[in-house]
Amino acid sequence: MKFKAICTDIDGTLLNSERDLSPRLKKVIEAFSPEIPLILASSRMPDAMRHLLRDLNREKQPLICYNGGFVIDSDGKVVDSVEIPLHLVQRILELSQSTSIHISLYQGESWFEPKEDYWSAREIKNTKVTPTWKDTTLVLKEWENSHSGAHKVMCMGNSQEISWLFGELHFLYGDQLHLYRSKDTYIEIAPKKISKATALQMILNKYYDFGMGDVIAFGDNYNDIDLLQSVGWGVAVGNARPEVKAVAKEVTLHHKEDGVAAVLEKLIS
């Protein structure tokens, strides 16, 4: 296919086994015209995505953050912002109190952590971002005063407790929250009505003269299904969930084998 934009997930899709951009990927991205936008679409916060664009020499690009809940254009202007209401954030925290589950809170450009532990240290290493260290009670009080909420709540812990919390939240608030288990030890929580696909459509409508059919997209997990179904050519990496492979038009190599680069190389050869 001929396409006018590339849209890709990051973790488990774009990054290699070192959770970094491979030299092969950098080389093939450099071969594409700068007129073809490279749009990253992830559950990550903005700063956990910007350093990847810098490494690819593609700094002036739109960003789809928090699975579509926070969308930024190529100039850094906020295009769309959809938050989890404060009362739901409070309920998530209340339900987790009887467990050892670690809760991280995200809003816009900020990531809040009450203390450093195994989980926060892991996220710092994986995303190359340092959080704002602040007691959760203070964060919630500030959000109450500003009438705001969270773009993402991330729950991390042992798989049994995570499974229990996922079930409780799905039963109680499944109609209001998008609950995504990126791993068996993680739940990433976002507002129900957002998705990577709706965010990409918004960006294209506002800034470009082409549509979803002119986009090639890559993904590996449940939160990529709508995206791969909505674009002209949806590609699943070899390590993708079976449900993702089922909706993709192509299945490429494992992300540790540079599956994204392998497809892009064919398109410029």
Side-chain angles (χ1 to χ4, degrees):
M1 67 165 286
K2 291 184 178 180
F3 62 90
K4 298 179 180 178
I6 303 166
C7 184
T8 180
D9 172 54
I10 296 175
D11 298 286
T13 301
L14 192 67
L15 304 184
N16 60 19
S17 57
E18 282 75 47
R19 300 183 72 90
D20 206 349
L21 301 163
S22 73
R24 180 183 178 185
L25 179 70
K26 292 178 182 178
K27 181 178 179 181
V28 71
I29 293 296
E30 193 173 332
F32 283 96
S33 165
E35 298 300 311
I36 296 177
L38 172 65
I39 303 170
L40 301 183
S42 173
S43 62
R44 290 186 174 208
M45 67 182 294
D47 269 354
M49 302 166 75
R50 290 191 180 104
H51 67 87
L52 299 172
L53 289 178
R54 286 195 294 270
D55 288 348
L56 292 166
N57 294 315
R58 289 283 195 136
E59 288 189 67
K60 300 279 285 183
Q61 304 289 297
L63 286 174
I64 297 172
C65 314
Y66 304 124
N67 285 326
F70 194 63
V71 184
I72 305 170
D73 71 12
S74 58
D75 293 320
K77 178 184 175 183
V78 178
V79 179
D80 193 35
S81 174
V82 182
E83 299 173 350
I84 303 168
L86 182 59
H87 74 275
L88 288 179
V89 177
Q90 292 170 326
R91 286 294 293 132
I92 295 166
L93 288 161
E94 288 168 6
L95 283 168
S96 68
Q97 281 180 352
S98 61
T99 73
S100 61
I101 290 172
H102 176 104
I103 304 289
S104 299
L105 300 177
Y106 296 82
Q107 185 192 78
E109 301 284 350
S110 299
W111 164 26
F112 297 101
E113 288 286 351
K115 63 180 180 180
E116 186 167 0
D117 63 7
Y118 167 81
W119 296 106
S120 60
R122 177 178 173 142
E123 283 303 298
I124 291 168
K125 180 181 178 181
N126 288 345
T127 64
K128 301 179 182 178
V129 177
T130 301
T132 298
W133 303 104
K134 185 176 289 189
D135 186 85
T136 301
T137 304
L138 294 177
V139 175
L140 296 183
K141 187 64 177 177
E142 289 178 3
W143 288 358
E144 182 180 9
N145 292 338
S146 62
H147 304 288
S148 59
H151 283 109
K152 182 174 82 168
V153 177
M154 187 153 69
C155 309
M156 298 173 282
N158 72 66
S159 58
Q160 291 84 5
E161 288 188 326
I162 288 293
S163 292
W164 172 82
L165 182 60
F166 181 88
E168 290 294 301
L169 290 172
H170 189 271
F171 176 74
L172 294 168
Y173 306 111
D175 60 336
Q176 301 173 68
L177 296 174
H178 183 275
L179 303 163
Y180 162 55
R181 290 190 72 175
S182 50
K183 300 176 182 177
D184 65 354
T185 53
Y186 281 60
I187 309 172
E188 300 190 41
I189 306 172
K192 185 74 171 183
K193 64 179 180 179
I194 58 94
S195 74
K196 294 181 181 181
T198 57
L200 177 60
Q201 182 72 71
M202 183 180 301
I203 289 171
L204 298 184
N205 289 346
K206 192 171 179 68
Y207 298 103
Y208 299 98
D209 62 355
F210 56 87
M212 299 285 275
D214 294 308
V215 178
I216 182 171
F218 299 86
D220 75 304
N221 222 321
Y222 299 122
N223 59 337
D224 298 311
I225 289 175
D226 284 354
L227 177 64
L228 268 56
Q229 287 179 312
S230 301
V231 298
W233 197 257
V235 183
V237 286
N239 53 286
R241 302 274 188 179
E243 296 90 338
V244 182
K245 291 180 179 178
V247 303
K249 288 189 168 66
E250 180 179 354
V251 178
T252 184
L253 300 172
H254 197 287
H255 79 99
K256 294 180 181 178
E257 301 171 320
D258 267 327
V260 173
V263 172
L264 295 179
E265 285 167 351
K266 289 189 296 183
L267 295 171
I268 60 170
S269 60

